[in-house]
Amino acid sequence: MKLLVTGGAGYIGSIVAQQLLAGGHEVVVLDSLERGHRAAVPDGARLLEIDLRDAEAVVDAVAEGFDGALHFAAYALVAESVARPEIYYRNNVLGSLNLLDGLRAAGVQRLVFSSTCAVYGEPEVVPMDETTPTRPVNSYGASKLAVDGMIADECRAHGLGAVSLRYFNVAGASGCLGEDHYPETHLIPNVLRAAQGLQDAVKIFGTDYPTPDGTAVRDYIHIEDLARAHVLALEGARPSEHRIFNLGSGDGYSVREVIEAVRTVTGLDVPVQEAGRRPGDPPRLVAANGRIRAELGWAPTKSLTEMVADAWAFAQERPHGYAGAGTH
Ligand SMILES: NC(=O)c1ccc[n+]([C@@H]2O[C@H](COP(=O)([O-])OP(=O)(O)OC[C@H]3O[C@@H](n4cnc5c(N)ncnc54)[C@H](O)[C@@H]3O)[C@@H](O)[C@H]2O)c1
Ligand SMILES: O=c1ccn([C@@H]2O[C@H](COP(=O)(O)OP(=O)(O)O[C@H]3O[C@H](CO)[C@@H](O)[C@H](O)[C@H]3O)[C@@H](O)[C@H]2O)c(=O)[nH]1
């Protein structure tokens, strides 16, 4: 298939693009490079440097015609969304609406969307399945829920076949592609930076959560397991239907357990500093992944140790990320 990958210069989009290319698909990446890296766009993919908020440019770009689109481009940081909600609604909601306009105009019939478990907020029952009530507690989750709603309506009204994958916490690396955000806010890369001495200590945000060790629990999923689900989702898109799947490993780990895994994998000391809770962070998010297992035949294959080991290999290979590798 000829596929449009928005956000394909970012962490997840670049690695999914790489898997799609390996599977024999043609890939065109649409990315503004605002938060991504030219060097992360895999060899063999064509890059269109376009901002999704530019409606006209998006419609023009999509007009060349695609068999399907995978939509990763977004702002994706919980704490930033609490501080600056307006940029989240403008980028995530408006950008997605522009993309839907472009897909409709060009007659593109398949869409896979990066949704998130943040749409569920602070669920009363964990693990969470797709019937968990959607009550986001931060603007990031609210903006993604709005897009899920727009996509559902687009499918109903205009026949699009779409799949929303509600990712839990994506981690690890794949060969020479990995996670490089500036500033880095994600847990595993920051713990590795502390282990490498690139920052004084890793902060533990919140030690008074109602969890066994008092730190927040997340479901970490290996980027390669996650990428594989996109290929299945693309094949599973059905005309006029919006399918929703939670995408996580089903196992929860606390912040302290992740730090311990980094100590074990690297053999290095990790200085820590206890700090207050980060605004917008729920205590515990773990996936019930039965639906995607049953309906798409997907299953996770990689452990937290493998996620940390692959992220560690990337961090050693590129201690300063893609900088110096010809980035924007
Ligand atoms: N990282 C996670 O754990 C996680 C979990 C759940 C969902 N997600 C979702 O997955 C997607 C990818 O996340 P990521 O971690 O790879 O983020 P990322 O920031 O590494 O990548 C996002 C990419 O989108 C591009 N982009 C952003 N706004 C754009 C715009 N208006 N026009 C064109 N390009 C734009 C950025 O330049 C960047 O290359 C996001 O939609 C995010 O919400 C991520
Ligand atoms: O230096 C750090 C960084 C994070 N944390 C904590 O570690 C956990 C995980 O944080 P992080 O890695 O920043 O991920 P999340 O905030 O859970 O968000 C990620 O995972 C969500 C799904 O759960 C996605 O929707 C988001 O896009 C993605 O950024 C949270 O409890 C944080 O408070 C720390 O204690 N110290």
Side-chain angles (χ1 to χ4, degrees), residues 12 75-79 115-119 138 140-141 144 167-170 179 181 184-191 199 201-206 209 215-220 253-255 258-259 273 276-278 280-283 285:
I12 300 172
Y75 292 156
L77 303 176
V78 170
S115 187
T116 166
C117 63
V119 300
N138 51 61
Y140 165 61
K144 288 281 178 171
Y167 314 159
F168 285 64
N169 287 55
V170 189
E179 190 163 10
H181 298 114
E184 189 54 77
T185 61
H186 292 96
L187 180 62
I188 292 176
N190 278 345
V191 182
Q199 63 185 54
V202 64
K203 283 191 177 155
I204 299 180
F205 294 129
Y209 282 107
T215 66
V217 169
R218 293 289 181 274
D219 177 328
Y220 295 89
Y253 292 95
S254 71
V255 172
V258 170
I259 293 170
Q273 185 190 335
R277 293 184 183 192
R278 205 172 58 175
D281 279 352
L285 300 172

Side-chain angles (χ1 to χ4, degrees), residues 6-14 30-37 50-54 71-77 91-92 95 113-118 140 144 165-171 179-181 186:
T6 78
Y11 167 47
I12 300 172
S14 63
L30 185 158
D31 199 299
S32 61
L33 299 184
E34 182 186 342
R35 295 190 175 189
H37 311 269
I50 288 172
D51 194 310
L52 280 179
R53 285 162 293 194
D54 182 345
H71 178 32
F72 300 91
Y75 292 156
L77 303 176
N91 196 34
N92 296 358
F113 172 59
S114 305
S115 187
T116 166
C117 63
Y140 165 61
K144 288 281 178 171
L165 296 174
R166 291 187 170 158
Y167 314 159
F168 285 64
N169 287 55
V170 189
E179 190 163 10
D180 175 19
H181 298 114
H186 292 96

Side-chain angles (χ1 to χ4, degrees), residues 249-306:
S249 66
D251 296 319
Y253 292 95
S254 71
V255 172
R256 287 195 204 281
E257 286 173 321
V258 170
I259 293 170
E260 210 39 58
V262 170
R263 289 196 176 112
T264 305
V265 167
T266 63
L268 296 170
D269 182 36
V270 179
V272 304
Q273 185 190 335
E274 294 188 359
R277 293 184 183 192
R278 205 172 58 175
D281 279 352
R284 187 160 174 255
L285 300 172
V286 180
N289 56 23
R291 185 186 283 184
I292 191 163
R293 283 175 183 268
E295 295 188 24
L296 296 186
W298 175 88
T301 64
K302 298 204 169 189
S303 65
L304 178 68
T305 304
E306 288 169 288

Side-chain angles (χ1 to χ4, degrees), residues 17-284:
Q18 187 184 46
Q19 274 204 10
L20 293 169
L21 287 162
H25 298 289
E26 179 183 349
V27 173
V28 177
V29 166
L30 185 158
D31 199 299
S32 61
L33 299 184
E34 182 186 342
R35 295 190 175 189
H37 311 269
R38 196 181 294 279
V41 177
D43 288 344
R46 177 155 53 94
L47 171 66
L48 304 175
E49 204 174 321
I50 288 172
D51 194 310
L52 280 179
R53 285 162 293 194
D54 182 345
E56 211 174 307
V58 172
V59 171
D60 284 353
V62 184
E64 72 172 71
F66 293 91
D67 299 306
L70 297 100
H71 178 32
F72 300 91
Y75 292 156
L77 303 176
V78 170
E80 181 184 56
S81 82
V82 174
R84 302 182 67 197
E86 65 285 1
I87 68 168
Y88 273 71
Y89 289 108
R90 189 164 297 112
N91 196 34
N92 296 358
V93 180
L94 206 60
S96 298
L97 187 58
N98 290 338
L99 178 67
L100 288 176
D101 284 342
L103 297 178
R104 190 184 324 110
V108 180
Q109 287 172 351
R110 286 166 194 267
L111 172 68
V112 179
F113 172 59
S114 305
S115 187
T116 166
C117 63
V119 300
Y120 298 117
E122 296 186 5
E124 278 159 26
V125 179
V126 176
M128 308 119 77
D129 67 16
E130 294 80 359
T131 65
T132 300
T134 47
R135 297 186 197 117
V137 293
N138 51 61
S139 304
Y140 165 61
S143 71
K144 288 281 178 171
L145 184 60
V147 178
D148 273 344
M150 280 166 22
I151 292 173
D153 291 347
E154 182 74 22
C155 293
R156 245 190 315 268
H158 301 297
L160 179 70
V163 177
S164 284
L165 296 174
R166 291 187 170 158
Y167 314 159
F168 285 64
N169 287 55
V170 189
S174 181
C176 63
L177 298 177
E179 190 163 10
D180 175 19
H181 298 114
Y182 184 78
E184 189 54 77
T185 61
H186 292 96
L187 180 62
I188 292 176
N190 278 345
V191 182
L192 290 170
R193 286 173 56 80
Q196 283 176 299
L198 294 171
Q199 63 185 54
D200 293 342
V202 64
K203 283 191 177 155
I204 299 180
F205 294 129
T207 54
D208 59 349
Y209 282 107
T211 58
D213 68 18
T215 66
V217 169
R218 293 289 181 274
D219 177 328
Y220 295 89
I221 169 172
H222 195 290
I223 178 70
E224 289 178 351
D225 281 336
L226 179 109
R228 206 160 21 83
H230 288 73
V231 177
L232 298 170
L234 203 57
E235 290 163 357
R238 303 173 182 146
S240 300
E241 257 189 61
H242 179 216
R243 305 180 76 186
I244 295 177
F245 297 102
N246 284 356
L247 185 50
S249 66
D251 296 319
Y253 292 95
S254 71
V255 172
R256 287 195 204 281
E257 286 173 321
V258 170
I259 293 170
E260 210 39 58
V262 170
R263 289 196 176 112
T264 305
V265 167
T266 63
L268 296 170
D269 182 36
V270 179
V272 304
Q273 185 190 335
E274 294 188 359
R277 293 184 183 192
R278 205 172 58 175
D281 279 352
R284 187 160 174 255

